Amino acid sequence: MKTSQHIGFLMVISGTALWGVSGPMIQWLFQNSSLTSSKFLIVRLLLAGIITLTLLYLTKKNIFGVWKHPSHWVQLIIFGVLGMLGAQYAFIETIRVSNAVTAMLFQFLGPVLITIYITIQTKKLPTIIQLLAVVAALMGTFFLITNGSVENIVFSKKAIILGLLTTLGFTFYTLHPRALIKEWGTVIIVGWGMLIGGIALLIYSEGFSAVHLTHTLTFNTLLILFLVIISGTLSFILYIGSLKYLSATETSLLSSIEPLVAAVVSIIWLNESFGMYQLLGGLLIIAAVVLLSMHNE
């Protein structure tokens, strides 16, 4: 495996691991505060975008250069609204109308769509190892999230629509920004994407008040919210940055490590149980990662 691919593997696994850690923290926030999904996303995206861009500006990075090129800033706005905001909003709304199990299953249909898209675009069939990795990742995710039972999967009409939007959102923010990050760098694109997504949701939402929100949060909830923002920001930067070194298919498949990390954190922090099927799911996800690493040898 080339050094650049090693870097890509490390970035995507670190990024998805951080996202996996943030999942149980978000669950804890919703259980212990009056935060709604819209308010949470507004705060998360706006603060993350502002902090990221401010740090870049203070280090003399040209954060406004992308806005001098119409074709680039149009693509950036599309990425911010449909990718950065769209994927997260659809995911959280799927949880609201169904449950987390259903939302995560739809999210991890993304690698299948990405594999199909890349196959059509390149007119080249995936290798046997790539196909085995797709199957292992999907089966592993299913067993890990459901513990082998379909009873917790909720397929109402709304859940299916929002779930499919989650799948499309995951696919879109993996495929769309590749040209932008090659031209302007990962951190700049992610920073602007989060800020644009936050502004779009703020305009769409009614009755949001930052002052009222801060009065309803305790020290503990504010601390967890801060940790969620930091971990989520680093997660997006690492995940999207890995696209410079890996294919979209590899990046999306390696992201299947996210539910494994989330499960481990939930066991340790939230005292949730871990069944035999979940253990099998974790082993299948690890197998998918090993298969992909073998493919790049």
Side-chain angles (χ1 to χ4, degrees), residues 132-152:
L132 287 173
V134 170
V135 173
L138 287 175
M139 288 180 62
T141 301
F142 173 79
F143 284 131
L144 187 63
I145 295 171
T146 66
N147 196 25
S149 172
V150 296
E151 292 180 0
N152 292 325

Side-chain angles (χ1 to χ4, degrees), residues 15-274:
T16 52
L18 282 170
W19 188 258
V21 168
S22 70
M25 289 195 288
I26 294 170
Q27 180 181 332
W28 184 91
L29 267 177
F30 287 149
Q31 291 172 347
N32 293 274
S33 74
S34 59
L35 271 177
T36 63
S37 56
S38 293
K39 289 178 181 178
F40 167 73
L41 281 177
I42 288 171
V43 173
R44 179 185 200 166
L45 291 172
L46 285 179
L47 286 182
I50 290 169
I51 291 170
T52 302
L53 292 172
T54 300
L55 289 174
L56 287 170
Y57 182 76
L58 292 175
T59 54
K60 309 298 182 183
K61 300 293 183 183
N62 181 20
I63 63 172
F64 299 107
V66 66
W67 296 100
K68 296 178 182 178
H69 302 266
S71 62
H72 289 177
W73 63 252
V74 168
Q75 293 302 313
L76 180 58
I77 291 174
I78 293 171
F79 169 64
V81 176
L82 297 183
M84 194 63 70
L85 170 60
Q88 293 188 65
Y89 188 79
F91 179 79
I92 290 179
E93 283 298 291
T94 305
I95 294 176
R96 185 181 66 81
V97 301
S98 57
N99 54 36
V101 170
T102 307
M104 292 190 78
L105 285 175
F106 273 109
Q107 178 182 339
F108 284 99
L109 288 176
V112 178
L113 276 188
I114 290 167
T115 302
I116 293 170
Y117 175 84
I118 296 296
T119 299
I120 294 171
Q121 185 188 50
T122 61
K123 298 179 181 178
K124 183 179 178 182
L125 291 172
T127 65
I128 296 297
I129 290 180
Q130 284 179 318
L131 287 174
L132 287 173
V134 170
V135 173
L138 287 175
M139 288 180 62
T141 301
F142 173 79
F143 284 131
L144 187 63
I145 295 171
T146 66
N147 196 25
S149 172
V150 296
E151 292 180 0
N152 292 325
I153 304 174
V154 180
F155 283 131
S156 66
K157 186 177 179 180
K158 260 188 177 179
I160 291 172
I161 293 171
L162 287 165
L164 289 174
L165 288 174
T166 299
T167 304
L168 291 172
F170 177 89
T171 304
F172 184 80
Y173 82 66
T174 300
L175 293 172
H176 182 76
R178 294 189 65 149
L180 286 173
I181 63 175
K182 283 180 181 178
E183 182 71 27
W184 300 102
T186 305
V187 186
I188 288 176
I189 298 305
V190 171
W192 279 116
M194 289 186 292
L195 183 59
I196 290 166
I199 291 172
L201 186 56
L202 181 63
I203 293 170
Y204 173 77
S205 301
E206 295 181 359
F208 176 80
S209 170
V211 175
H212 178 263
L213 183 63
T214 55
H215 288 161
T216 62
L217 298 176
T218 65
F219 174 79
N220 286 337
T221 51
L222 277 171
L223 177 62
I224 296 297
L225 179 60
F226 176 76
L227 291 175
V228 167
I229 291 170
I230 296 300
S231 63
T233 304
L234 290 174
S235 171
F236 273 111
I237 290 171
L238 289 167
Y239 177 84
I240 294 174
S242 70
L243 293 168
K244 293 175 69 175
Y245 308 103
L246 300 172
S247 71
T249 301
E250 291 167 333
T251 296
S252 62
L253 283 173
L254 286 168
S255 70
S256 62
I257 200 172
E258 175 199 324
L260 178 59
V261 174
V264 172
V265 174
S266 294
I267 292 166
I268 296 171
W269 189 29
L270 301 177
N271 298 316
E272 294 190 0
S273 60
F274 197 74

